[in-house]
Amino acid sequence: MPPNPPATLRSLLLIALMACLAPGCDARTDADSDAPEARLSGVLLDMQMDEISGLAASHIHPDVLWMHDDGGNPARLFAVSTRGRRLATFGIEDVVKTDWEDMDAFEFKGKRYLLIADTGDNGGLRRTLQLHVVEEPTSLTNARLKPAWSIAFRWPDGARDCEAVAVDAERGEILLISKKREPPELFVLPLQPPDRELLTAARVGHLAGIPEPDPETLRRNPKRARLDGQVTAASVSPDRRTLAVMTYRYLLLYPRGAQQDWAAAVAGTPGTSVLPWLPQAEALGWSADGESLYATGEFIPAPLYRITP
């Protein structure tokens, strides 16, 4: 469905979504009672946010999420309430925005930061990609920010699309997951490199357990079936025990043992559930308390879900 559907369709979707904001509305991810609980937290209505592709919960401002949009838009971050209302917009200076696809929030050396991943490459043409780190704003008023540091990197063996990036600050690692490779690949980069030279991401493993399309779905809609398992977002839980991975249809949770690295964790069997209705599911992030995940996508109006595993 296009990012800006016809006005009549937008109106119908808005009515349905607003009805679901009534007390007691519950959007289950699956008929199974063991499936995560997915409740509609809010609705994104602001047309400036019609291509949200990255989301991270604020650890400074209660009930606030950070979001960014896709390529073709200004270099900016949105502060958004957990009900979906845009609270402030922050321009990011001194960067060229090509295709922002994910973000994460983390603490490092006593400060709170946001990482922005300029890693999208639908055409497989980019030779270098960028990650930008900004300090999380302490005031929710429109302003301009400059990166605290940026990282330029390349893949070890040719271009690939990447829409899922997460941070494990305690290990000093940035995790990157390829989108279209089967199975998806896991790469790592240092969180704060010692210098500004071009880095090469290190491939450390592959993600197990990505659901395969069933024969009936392949027959009815082969294009959609192939998209369902493509990875579009990732986020490390605040306690660093779980990596959440979003595809266009599924939510996967990879638990990590105390002695495991993330390569070993994603080689294990994930907990898997079907996402609630979410056109173009591309943005996912753990809540600040680590008890749930927020999820939304590239669409207006867009549901903003709070999913409790």
Side-chain angles (χ1 to χ4, degrees):
M1 193 172 290
N4 294 314
T8 302
L9 178 55
R10 289 203 305 270
S11 298
L12 292 173
L13 289 170
L14 177 58
I15 292 169
L17 290 171
M18 294 304 290
C20 280
L21 282 176
C25 179
D26 189 348
R28 301 296 296 185
T29 59
D30 204 339
D32 190 338
S33 61
D34 293 330
E37 179 183 76
R39 291 188 177 274
L40 192 66
S41 176
V43 180
L44 305 185
L45 301 174
D46 192 322
M47 291 303 296
Q48 289 196 52
M49 301 191 297
D50 67 343
E51 293 189 63
I52 295 300
S53 58
L55 179 158
S58 172
H59 286 249
I60 294 177
H61 308 284
D63 299 321
V64 170
L65 306 173
W66 294 103
M67 299 184 188
H68 66 64
D69 50 13
D70 212 334
N73 296 294
R76 59 191 177 181
L77 293 178
F78 303 115
V80 181
S81 78
T82 52
R83 298 286 282 180
R85 183 170 67 90
R86 179 164 57 96
L87 304 173
T89 302
F90 295 81
I92 309 299
E93 297 181 341
D94 301 333
V95 303
V96 175
K97 180 178 182 179
T98 302
D99 193 358
W100 289 8
E101 288 293 357
D102 206 359
M103 67 181 301
D104 206 356
F106 63 96
E107 182 175 353
F108 188 63
K109 296 182 179 179
K111 293 183 178 182
R112 298 296 320 184
Y113 293 99
L114 303 170
L115 179 140
I116 304 163
D118 193 343
T119 55
D121 190 10
N122 289 323
L125 302 174
R126 299 180 66 179
R127 294 186 178 183
T128 62
L129 307 103
Q130 293 78 38
L131 304 168
H132 305 293
V133 177
V134 298
E135 284 195 46
E136 182 173 348
T138 57
S139 175
L140 297 180
T141 54
N142 294 351
R144 301 194 67 79
L145 308 173
K146 290 186 178 182
W149 70 90
S150 295
I151 299 169
F153 75 97
R154 62 188 175 191
W155 304 111
D157 56 355
R160 52 181 42 75
D161 196 13
C162 172
E163 297 190 5
V165 178
V167 175
D168 183 339
E170 189 169 319
R171 292 179 61 89
E173 292 180 340
I174 301 169
L175 312 178
L176 306 100
I177 302 171
S178 64
K179 180 179 181 181
K180 298 173 183 176
R181 302 294 176 99
E182 296 183 4
E185 309 151 298
L186 176 66
F187 294 82
V188 297
L189 282 167
L191 178 57
Q192 191 173 46
D195 52 47
R196 292 180 175 273
E197 70 180 17
L198 181 66
L199 303 181
T200 300
R203 183 171 47 224
V204 296
H206 295 82
L207 274 65
I210 304 294
E212 296 286 339
D214 62 81
E216 178 60 18
T217 304
L218 274 173
R219 184 187 66 81
R220 288 187 291 106
N221 193 340
K223 181 178 180 180
R224 178 67 205 185
R226 287 191 292 270
L227 288 174
D228 282 347
Q230 291 189 359
V231 175
T232 59
S235 183
V236 172
S237 61
D239 64 7
R240 303 177 48 255
R241 295 176 58 185
T242 307
L243 177 67
V245 174
M246 171 189 273
T247 75
Y248 282 120
R249 187 181 182 194
Y250 301 103
L251 172 65
L252 300 99
L253 301 176
Y254 291 90
R256 185 179 68 85
Q259 305 304 316
Q260 282 186 316
D261 58 17
W262 288 110
V266 301
T269 302
T272 305
S273 58
V274 177
L275 289 168
W277 178 80
L278 187 56
Q280 198 79 7
E282 297 220 1
L284 178 79
W286 286 95
S287 60
D289 60 14
E291 294 183 358
S292 56
L293 292 136
Y294 286 98
T296 191
E298 293 191 11
F299 196 83
I300 287 293
L304 174 62
Y305 291 107
R306 184 172 178 129
I307 302 172
T308 302

